[in-house]
Amino acid sequence: MSAEAQAANSRTQAAEGRARTEVQNRQTAESRTKKVNTREAELLDEVRHLVSERLPALALHLISSHYPVPGLLHKNLAGSEAAQLLDALTEAVSDIVLKERRRIDAAARAALRGATQESQALSYRLQTNIVGLQHEFSAPPRLTQSLLESDHLNEQNLRLTQKSAIVCGGWPGHVRKDTYVSEVVSGASSRLRGFDRINIVSRLGLSNIGVVGRAAEPVAVVCAELMANALEHSRDDLMVDVSLFQTGNGSVCITIDDAGKGMTSEALARGRGLISGEQQEVMLLELGDPPSMGFAAIGRLVADYGLHVSIDTSSPYGGVRAVVSVPENLLTSIDENATPPSVMAPQPAVAPQAHKRPSTADSPAPAHSPAPTAAAELPQRRRRFSATATPDDAAATPRPLDPENTGAIWSDFQSGLTNGRSVTDSE
């Protein structure tokens, strides 16, 4: 009986052990199932988060870096194989989107480049015809004024077409010979609506400084776009000051100051990035709707011709100051006798002359010298003069004039007054 009781007890314990094992196995299976269901739910949440949040944010981030891309929804998945696969998916989508955007943008630039080249050629032909009409016929004043207005409208249209062609990889489309710096800047201002608000002052030491032919039109385009930006962002009753001067290293700087509302820090940073010339391929889709191509065109010309352009908010009038630096290798000297500058170009400003005070020996002593007063003993403000001025060059040396050329200019001027015509610079 004792042996049978022990055997029964053993069987009972074995049954209880199997039951406990079954319970543990069942609990383990339930826990594993719960974990699997939780992980499955987390993965489904991550996929939903990827589709609804991360991918749309990635598309915006590819347009502008100001849009952040959110990370994983469940941080406990970081480093797992699922998280790595999700990140690889976002990178693959980013590469595919960028490649497709570049392909579409390249096709759009090619199409726009071809269209602008045709339009640019027609605009140049129209400009030639209008200039010919201005000089061939003695038209009534009203018709002459209409021709001048048509010429100016064509210049504005040509500038827009030229800007688009440059952004799309085309060349400026106009071949020049060596041109005076002052003529390049004044010609650039004549392409703009509101050109009468631009005040150009030349402080060049020499009047025969010119830009080599291959860089003359690019410099004109850069100046025109910067002056157009200054005119657009300032009121119609405010002037835009343009100054020309030569630096100590031989380059020529063109400063453009406006009294407008200025630029925000974000717009200033974006503008500096575009004009730096470091972004060789600027997508048209990144230039806005409608696209603002001025700074992008400047950046391409800076990269192609070695110019230096900077924009800053340090204008003395509270607006924006833009500086165009033309390096010495793009400058040349022009023979003023063989090729006289245009009468419309600004002449170099004459430095103030120091008036020589008469010495005591040359002037008689006054009959009565009043006693100095308290006001007379105060320090008096005097005008500053150039430190390099000497008594020998107190008077500025005038430019040698050609009598025949001067007579022809005045003859044309008199003829224009008589016939009701206005003589303008074809530039």
Side-chain angles (χ1 to χ4, degrees), residues 167-320:
V167 172
C168 295
W171 68 299
H174 185 52
V175 180
R176 290 191 183 203
K177 55 185 180 179
D178 297 347
T179 310
Y180 293 100
V181 176
S182 56
E183 289 188 3
V184 170
V185 178
S186 61
S189 65
S190 67
R191 305 176 182 183
L192 307 175
R193 185 181 62 180
F195 64 92
D196 53 335
R197 293 168 47 205
I198 299 177
N199 179 34
I200 304 176
V201 178
S202 176
R203 295 185 176 90
L204 297 173
L206 299 174
S207 59
N208 64 340
I209 301 177
V211 184
V212 296
R214 64 184 178 87
E217 184 64 16
V219 172
V221 173
V222 171
C223 292
E225 293 306 320
L226 292 175
M227 287 187 285
N229 186 72
L231 291 173
E232 182 180 355
H233 292 86
S234 57
R235 295 200 314 265
D236 294 340
D237 58 338
L238 298 176
M239 299 293 293
V240 174
D241 287 343
V242 181
S243 300
L244 317 176
F245 61 92
Q246 192 169 17
T247 63
N249 59 6
S251 63
V252 169
C253 285
I254 306 165
T255 63
I256 302 170
D257 293 308
D258 66 74
K261 57 186 179 181
M263 300 175 65
T264 63
S265 58
E266 180 181 355
L268 188 63
R270 177 171 174 78
R272 286 173 176 171
L274 289 175
I275 67 175
S276 64
E278 298 176 358
Q279 302 180 10
Q280 292 293 331
E281 294 185 2
V282 179
M283 294 188 181
L284 297 178
L285 299 176
E286 298 177 353
L287 300 179
D289 184 18
S292 301
M293 299 185 179
F295 283 171
I298 292 174
R300 183 168 288 274
L301 293 176
V302 166
D304 292 343
Y305 293 91
L307 304 172
H308 183 269
V309 181
S310 63
I311 53 176
D312 200 356
T313 56
S314 61
S315 172
Y317 312 114
V320 176

Side-chain angles (χ1 to χ4, degrees), residues 1-8:
M1 292 294 293
S2 176
E4 290 179 358
Q6 291 179 354

